[in-house]
Amino acid sequence: MISSTNGASMRKTGLSLAVTLCILLLIPLASAVPSGLTYLDSTWSSNDVNDGDLIALNPNGTILASYHGKDILLFNTSTLEEIGKISFGQDVAGMEFNPNGSVLAINKRSTTQIRESIKLIDIDTLEVMDSGVLADDRFRDISWSIDGMVISAHGSEGEVVEQYRYPDLTIKNTLHGVHVVDVTCIDYRSDGEYIVTGDESGRWAIWNMQGQKQGSYIEYGEGLHDCKFTPDGLDIVLVGEDGTITSRTFDGLQKHVDNVDGANEILFSSSGTRMHVSVDSDTFKGIITYDYGNFNELQRTNFFHKVMDVALIEDEYSRIQKLFVAGGTGEVAVYMRDIVANGLNEPGSDLDGDSIPDNIDDDDDGDGIIDDWDDDIGCDAPEGTPCSRYPDLSKIRNIELTLGDKFVVQDRISLPSEDSSNIRNLSRNAIAKDQVLSAHETELFANAMCENMDHEDIIDQWRESITLSNGELGDATITCFVTGGMEMIRDGDSTTQITFTIITTFEYASQVALPLDITLNEQPLPTDGSISWLAPAHPVSLLFSGDGIETQNIPLWWNNGDDVVSVTLEEIEVKEPTVIENAIDWATHPIAFIIYLGIIAVLMTMWMRHQNKIDFDVEDDENEDSDEDDIELVEKPESLDDELEDTPQVKAKRTPPPSKRKMYNTSTENESLVKKKRVSSQELNKDGPIMKTKRKRLGSVEERTIATDKPVVTGKKKLVKTSEPVIKKRKVKTVKGEVTEPEPEKKKKRKSVKRKKKSSSEKKIDEEKMQENLANDFLKEE
């Protein structure tokens, strides 16, 4: 019996082994590196052709056939020159070379007049053979037997696979009883004894050369895109429409399973050790290379366009040397490691230092413009120097070194016009065909080209080329972006150049200090998988900059092998700012503008409140109070009615009219509105001052007197009855006749009234005696 302690220990050990196994399985996925291949060329058909989703490569890799606009073109894979052309009046759905590469079988659309689809083309003579047979004219995956004597395709009658004899194309066998939908894949085993087929529903089966099914068919669980035997014939690999990749033994046992979104086609190396999967998805477009023994990912090659069909050429070590990719346009993209220029390392004078003699080099000055065009375009060459011997400084390679928190190297190149046009032509179908390139298509191109580079090689080259007087460069990262020439450029533009920048950002292993001497020993060449192979590497323009550092520029550095560049970076001297400069800095500081806005807001608020306020005239209120105190009773002439004789007239003191608006109160039923009238200044004549009085309407006074039974009082404001006791005054009748005018200095006092003489019995006053008494009293006091 095993103790519980031992059981727990065994469980821990099993868990540790499981974790270790998972880590080992994930390490290869994380360590996948770029394949060293990148876009460097194209096979060109025509500007007017928009189709290009089908290619075929002969077995020895010397001829590439591609279909474009009802034409099949043959190219030399070394020079990419067109070597042949076969035209058909119908679309071509599929094509495949026979095992020795002498014949190309195609499957074209049939017509009601010509009931045949499969035709054979003699590659040596470029003639179409007379033999033909009708198959499913939409079938893509034509397959040749290992000996080249049988061709298999989807039959025209029902969901079957038919085998045709070569060269007369008569039917040999019909494989039926399995497929009930369209067949999608057919492949022969390397020994020529068996064939595997699969369809859109997911059914697949194995057959012998006599057309007999080996066992029952198998359901894959999803529609099949591809099915292939391994080169040794021991295994079968299936690719589903959902991206499931399964490896099974010939006996049907499952070996490996993986899932790759967008997986389309399987391609094996000749040794069978590597398996390449073409992928076209929203997240990745390209080729993923696996170690077939354990399904671990080894390498990736990124594309920036659609992946319609793929063919490859490899070396004796099963490494891909060239990739041909149909992207749905009038050209085929070619991916390589580098470009070997014609005349490289041959003897002769070399102006730009690209190791190609000037008598062979079409671009002696290295600006990417052909020498024959330089003089026509013009340049800023010194007097007496032809433009073909002096580069356009805006077109040559530009290197900028920036010193800061990190040491940054920006390497900017300008791709030639023809290559730029080809790249845009392929990129426009990356998402959908349109008139201009979008930002997403531009980003897709930059990311693909950056991922294909050998980053470690680029970092090592710069670290070896740059020498610092103090400090040391550490780890680095690579990023890339398109500076110009792609986004919003119209389709068909053949002149605009694409500008591409590769940024290497170094950390510091030990910090640097100013002043700093920087020396460049050489101009680094492009690495494997770098698109920089398309652009001239020499000469270069140099710029040294940084925060608080004096910028230095070397506009032209020729590559003569021995010349090095050395500069000293020093800190910019900062002068003490003057009082005026400090004041200007404070006045233009963003916070100062906030204060300015606050002050303006306060002033505007005060102004608005001042405009909207209601003024009260205190002086008028005081005048109104004095008016009430100065009310006097004036006796009316006897000519008025008796009722008016008993009504005292109230005369209000007048005040100047207010200069501002006043607020008025409505009167009650028993109070009349108070009215004011402006009083003009007195006018004088020879008889004295002229008194102006207000004419009162007797009718209105009478009406108001009758209605209210109270005397009408005029004034500026309504009179409020006070709480003080009212002093009664006796009424006095006025004397008939004229009333003497008051003296000017007593113009606001009540007029004197002459009274009737009383009887003689009343005592008279002796004025003379009264004056005498007053004088006596005055003298006595002295």
Side-chain angles (χ1 to χ4, degrees), residues 738-755:
E738 294 182 357
V739 180
T740 58
E741 293 181 355
E743 295 179 359
E745 61 274 9
K746 299 178 181 181
K747 57 184 177 179
K748 289 189 177 182
K749 291 185 178 182
R750 188 180 48 159
K751 296 179 182 180
S752 58
V753 180
K754 292 183 179 181
R755 301 181 180 276

Side-chain angles (χ1 to χ4, degrees), residues 603-618:
L603 293 176
M604 289 293 294
T605 303
M606 296 176 63
W607 180 80
M608 293 178 64
R609 295 185 63 182
H610 177 74
Q611 290 295 109
N612 296 333
K613 74 175 183 177
I614 300 175
D615 295 333
F616 294 93
D617 197 333
V618 179

Side-chain angles (χ1 to χ4, degrees), residues 109-282:
R109 293 294 177 92
S110 63
T111 64
T112 55
Q113 293 80 13
I114 303 176
R115 301 293 295 170
E116 60 182 13
S117 60
I118 295 181
K119 298 292 291 184
L120 304 176
I121 301 173
D122 189 324
I123 296 300
D124 294 333
T125 63
L126 296 180
E127 294 181 355
V128 180
M129 299 181 181
D130 295 334
S131 58
V133 67
L134 179 63
D136 183 355
D137 58 7
R138 296 171 300 171
F139 184 66
R140 183 185 182 95
D141 195 12
I142 299 175
S143 182
W144 287 82
S145 63
I146 301 303
D147 59 5
M149 299 308 295
V150 178
I151 302 173
S152 296
H154 186 196
S156 60
E157 300 294 335
E159 314 306 336
V160 297
V161 175
E162 292 182 338
Q163 296 178 314
Y164 308 103
R165 299 181 182 92
Y166 173 78
D168 55 4
L169 298 181
T170 57
I171 295 178
K172 177 185 178 183
N173 295 313
T174 300
L175 312 181
H176 55 80
V178 173
H179 304 296
V180 295
V181 292
D182 290 344
V183 177
T184 56
C185 58
I186 302 173
D187 191 44
Y188 281 90
R189 202 167 81 162
S190 57
D191 60 2
E193 296 295 329
Y194 298 98
I195 181 175
V196 60
T197 61
D199 61 28
E200 289 181 345
S201 68
R203 289 185 180 183
W204 64 279
I206 300 174
W207 317 75
N208 61 18
M209 293 302 292
Q210 289 72 40
Q212 298 172 344
K213 182 172 56 177
Q214 304 299 295
S216 61
Y217 65 82
I218 302 174
E219 293 283 355
Y220 191 64
E222 59 187 80
L224 289 173
H225 277 172
D226 198 11
C227 53
K228 278 189 174 63
F229 283 103
T230 57
D232 59 10
L234 299 178
D235 297 337
I236 300 170
V237 180
L238 306 168
V239 179
E241 61 184 7
D242 293 335
T244 304
I245 304 174
T246 305
S247 173
R248 293 176 178 269
T249 64
F250 187 78
D251 298 331
L253 297 178
Q254 182 173 296
K255 292 180 63 176
H256 301 288
V257 178
D258 198 2
N259 188 275
V260 180
D261 184 28
N264 283 326
E265 185 180 0
I266 298 293
L267 299 96
F268 279 99
S269 63
S270 57
S271 64
T273 58
R274 296 192 177 192
M275 178 181 70
H276 312 288
V277 181
S278 68
V279 181
D280 189 351
S281 67
D282 293 336

Side-chain angles (χ1 to χ4, degrees), residues 26 173 244 306 360-361 435 566 600 649 653:
L26 292 174
N173 295 313
T244 304
K306 287 184 177 180
I360 300 176
D361 193 357
Q435 295 298 316
S566 181
I600 293 173
Q649 299 297 316
K653 184 179 180 181

Side-chain angles (χ1 to χ4, degrees), residues 12-188:
K12 292 181 179 178
T13 303
L15 180 60
S16 301
L17 290 174
V19 172
T20 303
L21 180 61
C22 292
I23 294 174
L24 291 175
L25 291 175
L26 292 174
I27 287 175
L29 294 175
S31 61
V33 297
S35 66
L37 300 169
T38 192
Y39 171 83
L40 292 179
D41 214 334
S42 294
T43 63
W44 188 251
S45 172
S46 172
N47 287 324
D48 301 329
V49 176
N50 294 322
D51 297 328
D53 57 354
L54 195 62
I55 58 176
L57 186 68
N58 67 345
N60 59 9
T62 58
I63 299 176
L64 176 73
S66 64
Y67 164 70
H68 301 281
K70 301 180 182 179
D71 294 333
I72 294 178
L73 284 77
L74 303 179
F75 295 94
N76 185 312
T77 56
S78 298
T79 63
L80 300 182
E81 294 179 354
E82 183 181 323
I83 59 177
K85 180 179 181 180
I86 302 98
S87 298
F88 292 92
Q90 297 83 28
D91 295 334
V92 175
M95 58 185 182
E96 190 71 25
F97 280 98
N98 66 346
N100 62 16
S102 61
V103 177
L104 179 65
I106 66 166
N107 187 24
K108 65 177 183 64
R109 293 294 177 92
S110 63
T111 64
T112 55
Q113 293 80 13
I114 303 176
R115 301 293 295 170
E116 60 182 13
S117 60
I118 295 181
K119 298 292 291 184
L120 304 176
I121 301 173
D122 189 324
I123 296 300
D124 294 333
T125 63
L126 296 180
E127 294 181 355
V128 180
M129 299 181 181
D130 295 334
S131 58
V133 67
L134 179 63
D136 183 355
D137 58 7
R138 296 171 300 171
F139 184 66
R140 183 185 182 95
D141 195 12
I142 299 175
S143 182
W144 287 82
S145 63
I146 301 303
D147 59 5
M149 299 308 295
V150 178
I151 302 173
S152 296
H154 186 196
S156 60
E157 300 294 335
E159 314 306 336
V160 297
V161 175
E162 292 182 338
Q163 296 178 314
Y164 308 103
R165 299 181 182 92
Y166 173 78
D168 55 4
L169 298 181
T170 57
I171 295 178
K172 177 185 178 183
N173 295 313
T174 300
L175 312 181
H176 55 80
V178 173
H179 304 296
V180 295
V181 292
D182 290 344
V183 177
T184 56
C185 58
I186 302 173
D187 191 44
Y188 281 90

Side-chain angles (χ1 to χ4, degrees), residues 319-499:
R319 296 179 305 179
I320 300 176
Q321 296 301 306
K322 278 187 180 181
L323 269 174
F324 302 95
V325 187
T329 64
E331 59 187 309
V332 175
V334 182
Y335 287 75
M336 297 181 286
R337 296 181 183 277
D338 54 34
I339 295 177
V340 179
N342 183 30
L344 184 67
N345 293 326
E346 292 187 8
S349 62
D350 181 16
L351 177 64
D352 55 6
D354 60 358
S355 300
I356 302 174
D358 293 340
N359 61 334
I360 300 176
D361 193 357
D362 293 333
D363 181 22
D364 293 340
D365 54 3
D367 58 1
I369 303 174
I370 298 175
D371 294 335
D372 295 338
W373 297 353
D374 273 327
D375 293 329
D376 296 334
I377 296 175
C379 64
D380 296 329
E383 187 69 24
T385 303
C387 290
S388 59
R389 306 291 293 177
Y390 191 86
D392 185 343
L393 299 182
S394 64
K395 303 293 184 182
I396 65 175
R397 183 181 180 187
N398 183 281
I399 299 174
E400 181 177 349
L401 292 87
T402 305
L403 185 66
D405 294 336
K406 298 179 180 180
F407 192 87
V408 181
V409 180
Q410 296 190 43
D411 190 359
R412 188 185 69 198
I413 60 173
S414 296
L415 305 181
S417 299
E418 182 179 355
D419 295 312
S420 299
S421 179
N422 292 343
I423 291 170
R424 286 191 293 267
N425 187 50
L426 288 164
S427 295
R428 63 183 169 85
N429 276 350
I431 306 301
K433 183 178 178 181
D434 50 18
Q435 295 298 316
V436 295
L437 292 179
S438 66
H440 183 81
E441 291 166 335
T442 301
E443 183 181 1
L444 182 63
F445 168 75
N447 292 339
M449 296 302 97
C450 199
E451 292 296 330
N452 290 337
M453 297 176 186
D454 190 337
H455 293 191
E456 292 300 325
D457 196 5
I458 295 174
I459 294 171
D460 291 341
Q461 279 192 0
W462 282 115
R463 187 181 284 113
E464 293 174 1
S465 176
I466 299 173
T467 302
L468 304 179
S469 61
N470 62 76
E472 185 179 357
L473 299 179
D475 297 334
T477 57
I478 303 292
T479 56
C480 313
F481 63 92
V482 175
T483 308
M486 282 198 71
E487 186 176 350
M488 303 308 295
I489 301 299
R490 290 189 61 82
D491 181 20
D493 188 323
S494 59
T495 59
T496 303
Q497 294 179 253
I498 294 175
T499 306

